[in-house]
Amino acid sequence: MFKVVKIRLYPNTEQKQSLEQSFGNCRWLWNHCLNWMNQTYIETGKGLSGYEVKKLIPQLKKEYEWLSLAYSACLQQVCLNLGVAFNNFFERRAKYPRFKSKHGKQSIQYPQNVKLFDNYLKIPKIGDVKAVIHRPIEGKIKTVTISKNGCGQYFASVLFDDGKKRTEPSTEGKAVGIDVGLTHFAITSDGSKFDNPKFLNKHEKNLKRKQQQLSRRQKGSNNRNKARKKVARIHRKITNSREDFLHKLSRRIVNENQVIVTENLNVKGMMKNHCLAKAIGQVGWGMFMTMLKYKAENDGKTYVEVDRFFPTSKTCHVCLNQVRSLPLDVRHWTCKNCQTTHDRDVNAAINLRNEGLRILTCGTRDKAYCPDVRRGRGGRKKSTTPLSVG
């Protein structure tokens, strides 16, 4: 089973210069090859694969001698990653590949010849880089990605194969449904509510002040670079706090339950609501779902996602009666059929759990198919084709 451990690196001054050179060479090669692929498509109408672009490296090394300062395997991996980026674009998994900038996050990938020791990492053409290895890495190392964030911190993401088989998922045990929100970050079907920490609001004043200082600095100056790092440190602190909260909460939920049911949210579409975009952007729903999924799979537990159009809030979990309209400001409502008073969020979590168990029991996600009925006010659409009896 493949696993990834991210460790902190502490390179010295010479090693930082070598890493910066490698970052720059790989970034330049990416931009050069991307431009070449664009021009080739404009002129011939045909694209190029990553393997075809990789053949250009020996010729470029003769024209640009400084390109040989970077490890050859890293340069080859850049071309292969560019080919993968285009494949993801054509299969609609990602946007069109963009040119890389020297500002912000930098990264290079080593597919081989990186050795790991107790307190340092041996990297080709860089040397022995001091590292803090907080978790055991046992198995065959596949790739190592060296990255640098906006604050100037260096990390190494080690992908390795531990040789163990993935545990088969089981459904025997406690099941829980999780509904996410803004006032409360997560609400479970057993009635537990976890508050939204809102880490961005805690650092908003300081972030505003640092961004104002950045905007007043002259572009291209050293003072502007220093101000940019100050802004990056605040964003990094917010990110660390959010990730720490999400890791702890997801680990707690996975440890206490065997079946975890969530909702398949369209976060990208919800961000188009300008009134709630800021609040949705800082809460981290997508990252939370990802953590729940991979932790449940690693522990042999079952993770299920319910369709986003399933009416979890509008349906009474006692008698399954569904109300026609339920505005967001209504947090408690009473079912007219069975007279049960519901907490909106807890009722949604219970319905998620029940629907997830139904999917696992029936083994299908299919619903009643009625093509001439649409959601919303329209009701039944007018049929444009005659009905036939056969």
Side-chain angles (χ1 to χ4, degrees), residues 10 12 89 104 112 173 179 206 220 227 249 258 262 324 351 368 388:
Y10 294 91
N12 55 34
F89 166 72
Q112 58 188 6
D179 182 57
N206 189 20
L249 180 58
Q258 186 66 31
T262 61
R324 293 182 58 86
N351 284 326
S388 60

Side-chain angles (χ1 to χ4, degrees), residues 160-173:
F160 65 98
D161 185 6
D162 59 1
K164 301 178 182 178
K165 294 184 179 180
R166 186 181 296 273
T167 307
E168 293 296 329
S170 173
T171 58
E172 297 181 0

Side-chain angles (χ1 to χ4, degrees), residues 31-300:
N31 294 338
H32 182 82
C33 294
L34 178 57
N35 181 65
W36 184 41
M37 297 173 77
N38 293 339
Q39 292 297 328
T40 303
Y41 181 79
I42 293 174
E43 295 173 359
T44 64
K46 297 181 179 179
L48 298 173
S49 66
Y51 292 96
E52 293 174 336
V53 174
K54 190 173 69 171
K55 299 177 182 179
L56 185 66
I57 295 178
Q59 181 182 351
L60 290 175
K61 285 186 175 181
K62 295 179 181 179
E63 297 179 8
Y64 307 97
E65 296 181 357
W66 45 265
L67 203 59
S68 301
L69 297 175
Y71 188 47
S72 60
C74 295
L75 300 178
Q76 295 173 4
Q77 194 65 34
V78 168
C79 300
L80 298 180
N81 290 341
L82 185 58
V84 173
F86 271 100
N87 291 337
N88 291 335
F89 166 72
F90 289 123
E91 296 179 7
R92 298 186 178 182
R93 291 194 297 264
K95 295 183 179 179
Y96 191 82
R98 298 184 297 177
F99 293 97
K100 293 188 176 182
S101 171
K102 66 178 180 180
H103 301 294
K105 183 179 179 180
Q106 308 292 325
S107 65
I108 52 175
Q109 192 172 11
Y110 290 84
Q112 58 188 6
N113 295 336
V114 177
K115 297 182 180 180
L116 186 68
F117 297 91
D118 293 336
N119 56 355
Y120 68 93
L121 210 63
K122 190 173 183 179
I123 306 174
K125 288 198 173 185
I126 304 296
D128 298 341
V129 182
K130 181 182 177 182
V132 177
I133 304 174
H134 60 285
R135 289 187 180 182
I137 301 176
E138 300 176 353
K140 184 179 180 180
I141 297 178
K142 295 296 185 179
T143 60
V144 177
T145 303
I146 309 297
S147 61
K148 173 191 172 186
N149 59 17
C151 306
Q153 298 174 336
Y154 293 85
F155 297 90
S157 297
V158 183
L159 173 66
F160 65 98
D161 185 6
D162 59 1
K164 301 178 182 178
K165 294 184 179 180
R166 186 181 296 273
T167 307
E168 293 296 329
S170 173
T171 58
E172 297 181 0
K174 181 181 177 182
V176 65
I178 304 173
D179 182 57
V180 294
L182 294 177
T183 303
H184 294 92
F185 175 79
I187 303 93
T188 61
S189 55
D190 53 10
S192 301
K193 294 185 177 182
F194 302 93
D195 291 333
N196 182 10
K198 298 180 180 179
F199 295 108
L200 179 61
N201 294 349
K202 297 179 181 179
H203 301 274
E204 197 167 18
K205 288 185 178 180
N206 189 20
L207 182 60
K208 178 182 177 181
R209 189 180 303 112
K210 295 298 188 296
Q211 287 175 334
Q212 288 175 342
Q213 295 175 2
L214 174 62
S215 64
R216 297 190 185 107
R217 298 295 183 264
Q218 184 179 358
K219 292 185 178 181
S221 63
N222 291 332
N223 287 333
R224 186 176 180 84
N225 293 332
K226 294 178 183 178
R228 184 187 294 113
K229 290 184 179 180
K230 291 181 181 179
V231 174
R233 290 191 192 100
I234 301 175
H235 281 294
R236 185 64 188 173
K237 187 174 183 63
I238 297 171
T239 302
N240 289 341
S241 301
R242 184 190 297 114
E243 290 181 355
D244 179 72
F245 168 75
L246 296 179
H247 274 297
K248 291 179 179 178
L249 180 58
S250 59
R251 173 48 60 191
R252 173 180 174 181
I253 292 175
V254 171
N255 288 345
E256 295 177 353
N257 303 278
Q258 186 66 31
V259 179
I260 302 167
V261 186
T262 61
E263 187 176 5
N264 181 18
L265 297 175
N266 181 16
V267 180
K268 184 178 180 180
M270 297 168 69
M271 288 288 289
K272 296 180 180 179
N273 185 346
H274 300 293
C275 298
L276 299 175
K278 183 178 179 181
I280 294 174
Q282 68 166 314
V283 74
W285 288 334
M287 185 182 296
F288 179 63
M289 303 300 180
T290 303
M291 291 180 180
L292 284 176
K293 184 176 181 179
Y294 81 77
K295 290 178 182 178
E297 291 177 351
N298 291 341
D299 292 358

Side-chain angles (χ1 to χ4, degrees), residues 310-330:
F310 183 76
T312 55
S313 300
K314 299 179 181 180
T315 304
C316 172
H317 71 272
V318 178
C319 64
L320 302 182
N321 178 47
Q322 182 178 340
V323 297
R324 293 182 58 86
S325 177
L326 193 65
L328 287 175
D329 58 344
V330 178

